Amino acid sequence: MAAARRRKLATIAVLIAAAVLMFFIIAGQLLLGALGIPLYSFQIAGGIVLFLFALNMVFGQTKPQQAQEMSAPADPDASVAVYPLAIPAIAGPGAMLAVVLLTDNDRYSPMQQADTVAMLLAVLFVLWLALLAANPISRVIGAAGANILGRVMGLILAAVAVDNVLKAAAVYVRAAMG
């Protein structure tokens, strides 16, 4: 991919991911509350979806590629930047879950929540730089290295997902018992 196109896709993807995650920081807890969904339910659902995403990373594509739509999207770069790059690769279920949990109004002060937002923006900036450097990184690690790295990261992501589900289930059991 040409450098200008890669820069455009990376920028669009990171900005969309930032907007989605900022939405969840600002309105996630309010939205869940309005829908009557306890935080532990969201954590379990996010953990399950994250686990499925991780399985796809570990085992590779598990379903046949869906047929392309008859008409091409108005902006194919924006389409790729939104899916699969911005969502679910950057602002996936794990990231959405993390920002909601790390900005829980009942557990964290506004200053701690501001720190979370600052860290999120710093991580997104570093990710943007890594996306811009995708070709040199790919040349260094090679296709086999990328394959191995993706599968190992998928396994780690699966462990994080299971941990989220177990922690949320423990909260649910404690709430149900007392």
Side-chain angles (χ1 to χ4, degrees):
M1 180 180 303
R5 183 169 182 235
R6 186 174 57 251
R7 189 172 31 260
K8 177 183 175 186
L9 287 174
T11 302
I12 292 169
V14 169
L15 289 174
I16 289 170
V20 168
L21 295 174
M22 291 304 292
F23 170 80
F24 273 90
I25 287 172
I26 294 166
Q29 192 172 3
L30 295 171
L31 181 63
L32 292 174
L35 294 172
I37 300 170
L39 202 51
Y40 58 78
S41 293
F42 183 68
Q43 191 171 356
I44 290 171
I48 292 169
V49 172
L50 186 60
F51 184 76
L52 294 173
F53 186 72
L55 285 180
N56 193 40
M57 289 175 67
V58 171
F59 295 115
Q61 193 68 17
T62 57
K63 58 185 175 188
Q65 193 72 356
Q66 296 179 349
Q68 295 290 329
E69 290 184 278
M70 295 296 282
S71 61
D75 185 356
D77 285 347
S79 179
V80 169
V82 172
Y83 177 84
L85 198 50
I87 302 167
I90 301 171
M96 292 175 200
L97 175 62
V99 297
V100 170
L101 292 176
L102 291 173
T103 57
D104 181 357
N105 294 329
D106 298 328
R107 295 193 311 190
Y108 300 104
S109 71
M111 192 57 163
Q112 289 170 315
Q113 293 179 32
D115 288 344
T116 298
V117 170
M119 288 307 298
L120 170 67
L121 295 176
V123 167
L124 288 173
F125 178 72
V126 170
L127 175 66
W128 178 72
L129 293 176
L131 289 172
L132 294 181
N135 283 351
I137 291 170
S138 181
R139 278 192 297 273
V140 169
I141 65 173
N147 192 356
I148 292 167
L149 187 61
R151 291 176 195 280
V152 169
M153 293 308 295
L155 188 58
I156 292 169
L157 199 56
V160 169
V162 169
D163 186 58
N164 274 324
V165 171
L166 291 175
K167 284 181 180 176
V171 171
Y172 171 74
V173 167
R174 280 194 300 272
M177 305 278 286

